[in-house]
PDB file of all heavy atoms in Angstrom:
ATOM      1  N   ILE A  84      20.248  26.326 -19.949  1.00 88.00           N
ATOM      2  CA  ILE A  84      21.063  25.262 -20.508  1.00 88.00           C
ATOM      3  C   ILE A  84      22.095  25.919 -21.391  1.00 88.00           C
ATOM      4  O   ILE A  84      21.759  26.679 -22.300  1.00 88.00           O
ATOM      5  CB  ILE A  84      20.205  24.297 -21.344  1.00 88.00           C
ATOM      6  CG1 ILE A  84      18.857  23.993 -20.651  1.00 88.00           C
ATOM      7  CG2 ILE A  84      20.944  23.054 -21.674  1.00 88.00           C
ATOM      8  CD1 ILE A  84      18.996  23.279 -19.348  1.00 88.00           C
ATOM      9  N   SER A  85      23.381  25.651 -21.164  1.00 87.00           N
ATOM     10  CA  SER A  85      24.418  26.316 -21.910  1.00 87.00           C
ATOM     11  C   SER A  85      25.601  25.393 -22.196  1.00 87.00           C
ATOM     12  O   SER A  85      25.788  24.399 -21.520  1.00 87.00           O
ATOM     13  CB  SER A  85      24.909  27.567 -21.185  1.00 87.00           C
ATOM     14  OG  SER A  85      25.514  27.193 -19.923  1.00 87.00           O
ATOM     15  N   ILE A  86      26.363  25.768 -23.194  1.00 84.00           N
ATOM     16  CA  ILE A  86      27.574  25.050 -23.591  1.00 84.00           C
ATOM     17  C   ILE A  86      28.705  26.077 -23.687  1.00 84.00           C
ATOM     18  O   ILE A  86      28.510  27.169 -24.238  1.00 84.00           O
ATOM     19  CB  ILE A  86      27.402  24.342 -24.926  1.00 84.00           C
ATOM     20  CG1 ILE A  86      26.257  23.332 -24.865  1.00 84.00           C
ATOM     21  CG2 ILE A  86      28.692  23.645 -25.345  1.00 84.00           C
ATOM     22  CD1 ILE A  86      25.914  22.713 -26.209  1.00 84.00           C
ATOM     23  N   GLN A  87      29.850  25.745 -23.135  1.00 80.00           N
ATOM     24  CA  GLN A  87      30.992  26.666 -23.187  1.00 80.00           C
ATOM     25  C   GLN A  87      31.954  26.230 -24.278  1.00 80.00           C
ATOM     26  O   GLN A  87      32.384  25.081 -24.358  1.00 80.00           O
ATOM     27  CB  GLN A  87      31.720  26.690 -21.842  1.00 80.00           C
ATOM     28  CG  GLN A  87      32.687  27.832 -21.727  1.00 80.00           C
ATOM     29  CD  GLN A  87      33.210  28.020 -20.306  1.00 80.00           C
ATOM     30  OE1 GLN A  87      33.799  27.111 -19.755  1.00 80.00           O
ATOM     31  NE2 GLN A  87      33.014  29.180 -19.727  1.00 80.00           N
ATOM     32  N   GLU A  88      32.280  27.191 -25.180  1.00 70.00           N
ATOM     33  CA  GLU A  88      33.221  26.907 -26.228  1.00 70.00           C
ATOM     34  C   GLU A  88      34.652  26.853 -25.672  1.00 70.00           C
ATOM     35  O   GLU A  88      34.913  27.235 -24.542  1.00 70.00           O
ATOM     36  CB  GLU A  88      33.147  28.009 -27.304  1.00 70.00           C
ATOM     37  CG  GLU A  88      31.773  28.070 -28.004  1.00 70.00           C
ATOM     38  CD  GLU A  88      31.733  29.170 -29.028  1.00 70.00           C
ATOM     39  OE1 GLU A  88      32.561  30.105 -28.930  1.00 70.00           O
ATOM     40  OE2 GLU A  88      30.871  29.137 -29.936  1.00 70.00           O
ATOM     41  N   GLU A  89      35.568  26.351 -26.496  1.00 70.00           N
ATOM     42  CA  GLU A  89      36.974  26.264 -26.078  1.00 70.00           C
ATOM     43  C   GLU A  89      37.545  27.630 -25.757  1.00 70.00           C
ATOM     44  O   GLU A  89      38.471  27.752 -24.928  1.00 70.00           O
ATOM     45  CB  GLU A  89      37.797  25.577 -27.165  1.00 70.00           C
ATOM     46  CG  GLU A  89      37.446  24.099 -27.365  1.00 70.00           C
ATOM     47  CD  GLU A  89      38.314  23.443 -28.431  1.00 70.00           C
ATOM     48  OE1 GLU A  89      39.175  24.151 -28.994  1.00 70.00           O
ATOM     49  OE2 GLU A  89      38.108  22.259 -28.672  1.00 70.00           O
ATOM     50  N   THR A  90      37.008  28.649 -26.372  1.00 69.00           N
ATOM     51  CA  THR A  90      37.486  30.027 -26.123  1.00 69.00           C
ATOM     52  C   THR A  90      37.007  30.563 -24.786  1.00 69.00           C
ATOM     53  O   THR A  90      37.446  31.640 -24.354  1.00 69.00           O
ATOM     54  CB  THR A  90      37.038  30.973 -27.249  1.00 69.00           C
ATOM     55  OG1 THR A  90      35.577  30.950 -27.286  1.00 69.00           O
ATOM     56  CG2 THR A  90      37.550  30.504 -28.592  1.00 69.00           C
ATOM     57  N   GLY A  91      36.097  29.836 -24.160  1.00 68.00           N
ATOM     58  CA  GLY A  91      35.514  30.289 -22.876  1.00 68.00           C
ATOM     59  C   GLY A  91      34.170  30.997 -23.086  1.00 68.00           C
ATOM     60  O   GLY A  91      33.475  31.290 -22.096  1.00 68.00           O
ATOM     61  N   ARG A  92      33.778  31.233 -24.333  1.00 71.00           N
ATOM     62  CA  ARG A  92      32.501  31.904 -24.581  1.00 71.00           C
ATOM     63  C   ARG A  92      31.369  30.954 -24.319  1.00 71.00           C
ATOM     64  O   ARG A  92      31.385  29.800 -24.748  1.00 71.00           O
ATOM     65  CB  ARG A  92      32.446  32.400 -26.024  1.00 71.00           C
ATOM     66  CG  ARG A  92      31.111  33.027 -26.460  1.00 71.00           C
ATOM     67  CD  ARG A  92      31.230  33.608 -27.852  1.00 71.00           C
ATOM     68  NE  ARG A  92      29.937  34.043 -28.341  1.00 71.00           N
ATOM     69  CZ  ARG A  92      29.156  33.278 -29.089  1.00 71.00           C
ATOM     70  NH1 ARG A  92      29.527  32.059 -29.414  1.00 71.00           N
ATOM     71  NH2 ARG A  92      28.016  33.728 -29.506  1.00 71.00           N
ATOM     72  N   GLU A  93      30.331  31.416 -23.642  1.00 74.00           N
ATOM     73  CA  GLU A  93      29.196  30.591 -23.299  1.00 74.00           C
ATOM     74  C   GLU A  93      28.083  30.777 -24.369  1.00 74.00           C
ATOM     75  O   GLU A  93      27.750  31.888 -24.751  1.00 74.00           O
ATOM     76  CB  GLU A  93      28.637  30.980 -21.929  1.00 74.00           C
ATOM     77  CG  GLU A  93      27.467  30.118 -21.478  1.00 74.00           C
ATOM     78  CD  GLU A  93      26.854  30.607 -20.173  1.00 74.00           C
ATOM     79  OE1 GLU A  93      26.520  31.791 -20.094  1.00 74.00           O
ATOM     80  OE2 GLU A  93      26.686  29.779 -19.269  1.00 74.00           O
ATOM     81  N   VAL A  94      27.521  29.678 -24.827  1.00 76.00           N
ATOM     82  CA  VAL A  94      26.433  29.697 -25.748  1.00 76.00           C
ATOM     83  C   VAL A  94      25.181  29.173 -25.043  1.00 76.00           C
ATOM     84  O   VAL A  94      25.149  28.055 -24.560  1.00 76.00           O
ATOM     85  CB  VAL A  94      26.725  28.827 -26.995  1.00 76.00           C
ATOM     86  CG1 VAL A  94      25.522  28.826 -27.941  1.00 76.00           C
ATOM     87  CG2 VAL A  94      27.952  29.303 -27.726  1.00 76.00           C
ATOM     88  N   LEU A  95      24.157  30.016 -24.988  1.00 77.00           N
ATOM     89  CA  LEU A  95      22.914  29.658 -24.303  1.00 77.00           C
ATOM     90  C   LEU A  95      22.060  28.833 -25.257  1.00 77.00           C
ATOM     91  O   LEU A  95      21.794  29.246 -26.379  1.00 77.00           O
ATOM     92  CB  LEU A  95      22.175  30.943 -23.889  1.00 77.00           C
ATOM     93  CG  LEU A  95      20.949  30.758 -23.017  1.00 77.00           C
ATOM     94  CD1 LEU A  95      21.363  30.148 -21.680  1.00 77.00           C
ATOM     95  CD2 LEU A  95      20.256  32.092 -22.777  1.00 77.00           C
ATOM     96  N   VAL A  96      21.603  27.691 -24.799  1.00 79.00           N
ATOM     97  CA  VAL A  96      20.836  26.773 -25.618  1.00 79.00           C
ATOM     98  C   VAL A  96      19.324  26.915 -25.352  1.00 79.00           C
ATOM     99  O   VAL A  96      18.534  26.910 -26.266  1.00 79.00           O
ATOM    100  CB  VAL A  96      21.267  25.308 -25.375  1.00 79.00           C
ATOM    101  CG1 VAL A  96      20.422  24.324 -26.187  1.00 79.00           C
ATOM    102  CG2 VAL A  96      22.747  25.128 -25.744  1.00 79.00           C
ATOM    103  N   ALA A  97      18.946  27.038 -24.067  1.00 79.00           N
ATOM    104  CA  ALA A  97      17.538  27.077 -23.714  1.00 79.00           C
ATOM    105  C   ALA A  97      17.371  27.591 -22.315  1.00 79.00           C
ATOM    106  O   ALA A  97      18.311  27.605 -21.491  1.00 79.00           O
ATOM    107  CB  ALA A  97      16.880  25.723 -23.861  1.00 79.00           C
ATOM    108  N   VAL A  98      16.146  28.047 -22.006  1.00 82.00           N
ATOM    109  CA  VAL A  98      15.765  28.463 -20.657  1.00 82.00           C
ATOM    110  C   VAL A  98      14.518  27.678 -20.284  1.00 82.00           C
ATOM    111  O   VAL A  98      13.581  27.590 -21.063  1.00 82.00           O
ATOM    112  CB  VAL A  98      15.487  29.970 -20.581  1.00 82.00           C
ATOM    113  CG1 VAL A  98      14.928  30.319 -19.204  1.00 82.00           C
ATOM    114  CG2 VAL A  98      16.743  30.766 -20.842  1.00 82.00           C
ATOM    115  N   TYR A  99      14.515  27.052 -19.120  1.00 86.00           N
ATOM    116  CA  TYR A  99      13.385  26.274 -18.627  1.00 86.00           C
ATOM    117  C   TYR A  99      12.844  26.860 -17.338  1.00 86.00           C
ATOM    118  O   TYR A  99      13.611  27.393 -16.498  1.00 86.00           O
ATOM    119  CB  TYR A  99      13.769  24.804 -18.405  1.00 86.00           C
ATOM    120  CG  TYR A  99      14.030  24.047 -19.672  1.00 86.00           C
ATOM    121  CD1 TYR A  99      15.196  23.306 -19.818  1.00 86.00           C
ATOM    122  CD2 TYR A  99      13.129  24.079 -20.707  1.00 86.00           C
ATOM    123  CE1 TYR A  99      15.443  22.609 -20.975  1.00 86.00           C
ATOM    124  CE2 TYR A  99      13.349  23.366 -21.890  1.00 86.00           C
ATOM    125  CZ  TYR A  99      14.515  22.641 -22.012  1.00 86.00           C
ATOM    126  OH  TYR A  99      14.744  21.921 -23.168  1.00 86.00           O
ATOM    127  N   ARG A 100      11.506  26.769 -17.172  1.00 85.00           N
ATOM    128  CA  ARG A 100      10.860  27.337 -15.998  1.00 85.00           C
ATOM    129  C   ARG A 100       9.968  26.314 -15.284  1.00 85.00           C
ATOM    130  O   ARG A 100      10.016  25.130 -15.619  1.00 85.00           O
ATOM    131  CB  ARG A 100       9.988  28.522 -16.468  1.00 85.00           C
ATOM    132  CG  ARG A 100      10.782  29.677 -17.050  1.00 85.00           C
ATOM    133  CD  ARG A 100       9.865  30.799 -17.492  1.00 85.00           C
ATOM    134  NE  ARG A 100      10.604  31.985 -17.862  1.00 85.00           N
ATOM    135  CZ  ARG A 100      11.261  32.155 -18.980  1.00 85.00           C
ATOM    136  NH1 ARG A 100      11.229  31.191 -19.904  1.00 85.00           N
ATOM    137  NH2 ARG A 100      11.928  33.267 -19.237  1.00 85.00           N
ATOM    138  N   GLY A 101       9.219  26.809 -14.299  1.00 88.00           N
ATOM    139  CA  GLY A 101       8.362  25.922 -13.520  1.00 88.00           C
ATOM    140  C   GLY A 101       7.452  25.085 -14.398  1.00 88.00           C
ATOM    141  O   GLY A 101       6.832  25.615 -15.311  1.00 88.00           O
ATOM    142  N   GLY A 102       7.420  23.761 -14.120  1.00 88.00           N
ATOM    143  CA  GLY A 102       6.614  22.838 -14.923  1.00 88.00           C
ATOM    144  C   GLY A 102       7.384  22.235 -16.061  1.00 88.00           C
ATOM    145  O   GLY A 102       6.859  21.343 -16.736  1.00 88.00           O
ATOM    146  N   ASP A 103       8.629  22.702 -16.289  1.00 89.00           N
ATOM    147  CA  ASP A 103       9.447  22.091 -17.359  1.00 89.00           C
ATOM    148  C   ASP A 103      10.268  20.934 -16.823  1.00 89.00           C
ATOM    149  O   ASP A 103      10.553  20.859 -15.637  1.00 89.00           O
ATOM    150  CB  ASP A 103      10.382  23.166 -17.957  1.00 89.00           C
ATOM    151  CG  ASP A 103       9.657  24.137 -18.860  1.00 89.00           C
ATOM    152  OD1 ASP A 103       8.642  23.763 -19.478  1.00 89.00           O
ATOM    153  OD2 ASP A 103      10.123  25.281 -18.983  1.00 89.00           O
ATOM    154  N   VAL A 104      10.669  20.056 -17.742  1.00 91.00           N
ATOM    155  CA  VAL A 104      11.534  18.929 -17.427  1.00 91.00           C
ATOM    156  C   VAL A 104      12.849  19.102 -18.180  1.00 91.00           C
ATOM    157  O   VAL A 104      12.869  19.528 -19.320  1.00 91.00           O
ATOM    158  CB  VAL A 104      10.871  17.602 -17.887  1.00 91.00           C
ATOM    159  CG1 VAL A 104      11.766  16.441 -17.605  1.00 91.00           C
ATOM    160  CG2 VAL A 104       9.515  17.420 -17.206  1.00 91.00           C
ATOM    161  N   PHE A 105      13.936  18.780 -17.517  1.00 92.00           N
ATOM    162  CA  PHE A 105      15.230  18.803 -18.215  1.00 92.00           C
ATOM    163  C   PHE A 105      16.123  17.683 -17.701  1.00 92.00           C
ATOM    164  O   PHE A 105      15.900  17.111 -16.643  1.00 92.00           O
ATOM    165  CB  PHE A 105      15.942  20.177 -18.056  1.00 92.00           C
ATOM    166  CG  PHE A 105      16.421  20.483 -16.628  1.00 92.00           C
ATOM    167  CD1 PHE A 105      17.697  20.110 -16.235  1.00 92.00           C
ATOM    168  CD2 PHE A 105      15.556  21.167 -15.736  1.00 92.00           C
ATOM    169  CE1 PHE A 105      18.093  20.387 -14.921  1.00 92.00           C
ATOM    170  CE2 PHE A 105      15.988  21.470 -14.455  1.00 92.00           C
ATOM    171  CZ  PHE A 105      17.270  21.061 -14.056  1.00 92.00           C
ATOM    172  N   GLY A 106      17.130  17.343 -18.490  1.00 89.00           N
ATOM    173  CA  GLY A 106      18.108  16.317 -18.097  1.00 89.00           C
ATOM    174  C   GLY A 106      17.691  14.916 -18.482  1.00 89.00           C
ATOM    175  O   GLY A 106      18.356  13.964 -18.084  1.00 89.00           O
ATOM    176  N   GLU A 107      16.646  14.791 -19.316  1.00 85.00           N
ATOM    177  CA  GLU A 107      16.181  13.464 -19.659  1.00 85.00           C
ATOM    178  C   GLU A 107      16.893  12.863 -20.876  1.00 85.00           C
ATOM    179  O   GLU A 107      16.925  11.630 -21.062  1.00 85.00           O
ATOM    180  CB  GLU A 107      14.660  13.458 -19.920  1.00 85.00           C
ATOM    181  CG  GLU A 107      14.202  14.073 -21.232  1.00 85.00           C
ATOM    182  CD  GLU A 107      14.136  15.581 -21.224  1.00 85.00           C
ATOM    183  OE1 GLU A 107      14.818  16.192 -20.397  1.00 85.00           O
ATOM    184  OE2 GLU A 107      13.384  16.122 -22.019  1.00 85.00           O
ATOM    185  N   LEU A 108      17.497  13.690 -21.732  1.00 80.00           N
ATOM    186  CA  LEU A 108      18.070  13.228 -22.991  1.00 80.00           C
ATOM    187  C   LEU A 108      19.192  12.202 -22.765  1.00 80.00           C
ATOM    188  O   LEU A 108      19.241  11.141 -23.410  1.00 80.00           O
ATOM    189  CB  LEU A 108      18.607  14.384 -23.835  1.00 80.00           C
ATOM    190  CG  LEU A 108      17.563  15.359 -24.354  1.00 80.00           C
ATOM    191  CD1 LEU A 108      18.237  16.421 -25.185  1.00 80.00           C
ATOM    192  CD2 LEU A 108      16.514  14.611 -25.216  1.00 80.00           C
ATOM    193  N   ALA A 109      20.096  12.524 -21.837  1.00 78.00           N
ATOM    194  CA  ALA A 109      21.256  11.637 -21.595  1.00 78.00           C
ATOM    195  C   ALA A 109      20.870  10.302 -21.006  1.00 78.00           C
ATOM    196  O   ALA A 109      21.665   9.345 -21.018  1.00 78.00           O
ATOM    197  CB  ALA A 109      22.274  12.350 -20.751  1.00 78.00           C
ATOM    198  N   LEU A 110      19.641  10.234 -20.460  1.00 80.00           N
ATOM    199  CA  LEU A 110      19.219   8.961 -19.842  1.00 80.00           C
ATOM    200  C   LEU A 110      19.030   7.864 -20.862  1.00 80.00           C
ATOM    201  O   LEU A 110      19.118   6.688 -20.536  1.00 80.00           O
ATOM    202  CB  LEU A 110      17.910   9.169 -19.042  1.00 80.00           C
ATOM    203  CG  LEU A 110      17.950  10.199 -17.915  1.00 80.00           C
ATOM    204  CD1 LEU A 110      16.570  10.292 -17.266  1.00 80.00           C
ATOM    205  CD2 LEU A 110      19.003   9.812 -16.878  1.00 80.00           C
ATOM    206  N   PHE A 111      18.802   8.256 -22.145  1.00 78.00           N
ATOM    207  CA  PHE A 111      18.495   7.243 -23.132  1.00 78.00           C
ATOM    208  C   PHE A 111      19.723   6.405 -23.519  1.00 78.00           C
ATOM    209  O   PHE A 111      19.594   5.190 -23.675  1.00 78.00           O
ATOM    210  CB  PHE A 111      17.957   7.932 -24.421  1.00 78.00           C
ATOM    211  CG  PHE A 111      16.466   8.152 -24.363  1.00 78.00           C
ATOM    212  CD1 PHE A 111      15.961   9.282 -23.786  1.00 78.00           C
ATOM    213  CD2 PHE A 111      15.599   7.231 -24.861  1.00 78.00           C
ATOM    214  CE1 PHE A 111      14.602   9.494 -23.698  1.00 78.00           C
ATOM    215  CE2 PHE A 111      14.220   7.401 -24.789  1.00 78.00           C
ATOM    216  CZ  PHE A 111      13.727   8.550 -24.211  1.00 78.00           C
ATOM    217  N   ASP A 112      20.890   7.056 -23.625  1.00 75.00           N
ATOM    218  CA  ASP A 112      22.072   6.282 -23.999  1.00 75.00           C
ATOM    219  C   ASP A 112      23.066   6.133 -22.835  1.00 75.00           C
ATOM    220  O   ASP A 112      24.161   5.637 -23.010  1.00 75.00           O
ATOM    221  CB  ASP A 112      22.789   6.936 -25.199  1.00 75.00           C
ATOM    222  CG  ASP A 112      23.271   8.315 -24.917  1.00 75.00           C
ATOM    223  OD1 ASP A 112      23.069   8.809 -23.787  1.00 75.00           O
ATOM    224  OD2 ASP A 112      23.845   8.948 -25.814  1.00 75.00           O
ATOM    225  N   GLU A 113      22.635   6.598 -21.673  1.00 76.00           N
ATOM    226  CA  GLU A 113      23.474   6.507 -20.466  1.00 76.00           C
ATOM    227  C   GLU A 113      24.808   7.187 -20.687  1.00 76.00           C
ATOM    228  O   GLU A 113      25.815   6.862 -20.041  1.00 76.00           O
ATOM    229  CB  GLU A 113      23.673   5.037 -20.042  1.00 76.00           C
ATOM    230  CG  GLU A 113      22.363   4.324 -19.730  1.00 76.00           C
ATOM    231  CD  GLU A 113      22.571   2.884 -19.307  1.00 76.00           C
ATOM    232  OE1 GLU A 113      23.692   2.380 -19.516  1.00 76.00           O
ATOM    233  OE2 GLU A 113      21.633   2.288 -18.770  1.00 76.00           O
ATOM    234  N   GLY A 114      24.819   8.215 -21.580  1.00 81.00           N
ATOM    235  CA  GLY A 114      26.025   8.983 -21.781  1.00 81.00           C
ATOM    236  C   GLY A 114      26.132  10.133 -20.829  1.00 81.00           C
ATOM    237  O   GLY A 114      25.237  10.341 -19.981  1.00 81.00           O
ATOM    238  N   PRO A 115      27.209  10.924 -20.903  1.00 90.00           N
ATOM    239  CA  PRO A 115      27.380  12.078 -19.995  1.00 90.00           C
ATOM    240  C   PRO A 115      26.475  13.196 -20.404  1.00 90.00           C
ATOM    241  O   PRO A 115      25.871  13.191 -21.470  1.00 90.00           O
ATOM    242  CB  PRO A 115      28.865  12.414 -20.214  1.00 90.00           C
ATOM    243  CG  PRO A 115      29.160  11.987 -21.593  1.00 90.00           C
ATOM    244  CD  PRO A 115      28.356  10.741 -21.817  1.00 90.00           C
ATOM    245  N   ARG A 116      26.361  14.181 -19.522  1.00 91.00           N
ATOM    246  CA  ARG A 116      25.554  15.396 -19.820  1.00 91.00           C
ATOM    247  C   ARG A 116      26.166  16.125 -21.007  1.00 91.00           C
ATOM    248  O   ARG A 116      27.387  16.241 -21.148  1.00 91.00           O
ATOM    249  CB  ARG A 116      25.573  16.312 -18.622  1.00 91.00           C
ATOM    250  CG  ARG A 116      24.947  15.728 -17.352  1.00 91.00           C
ATOM    251  CD  ARG A 116      23.466  15.458 -17.526  1.00 91.00           C
ATOM    252  NE  ARG A 116      22.828  15.032 -16.259  1.00 91.00           N
ATOM    253  CZ  ARG A 116      21.571  14.644 -16.175  1.00 91.00           C
ATOM    254  NH1 ARG A 116      20.810  14.565 -17.272  1.00 91.00           N
ATOM    255  NH2 ARG A 116      21.071  14.297 -15.021  1.00 91.00           N
TER     256      ARG A 116
END
Side-chain angles (χ1 to χ4, degrees):
I84 318 295
S85 64
I86 300 173
Q87 193 169 58
E88 296 179 340
E89 293 181 359
T90 60
R92 176 173 172 266
E93 183 186 52
V94 178
L95 188 64
V96 177
V98 173
Y99 290 130
R100 296 180 170 77
D103 285 332
V104 178
F105 68 90
E107 75 279 23
L108 293 181
L110 299 179
F111 274 87
D112 61 1
E113 300 180 347
R116 298 295 187 186

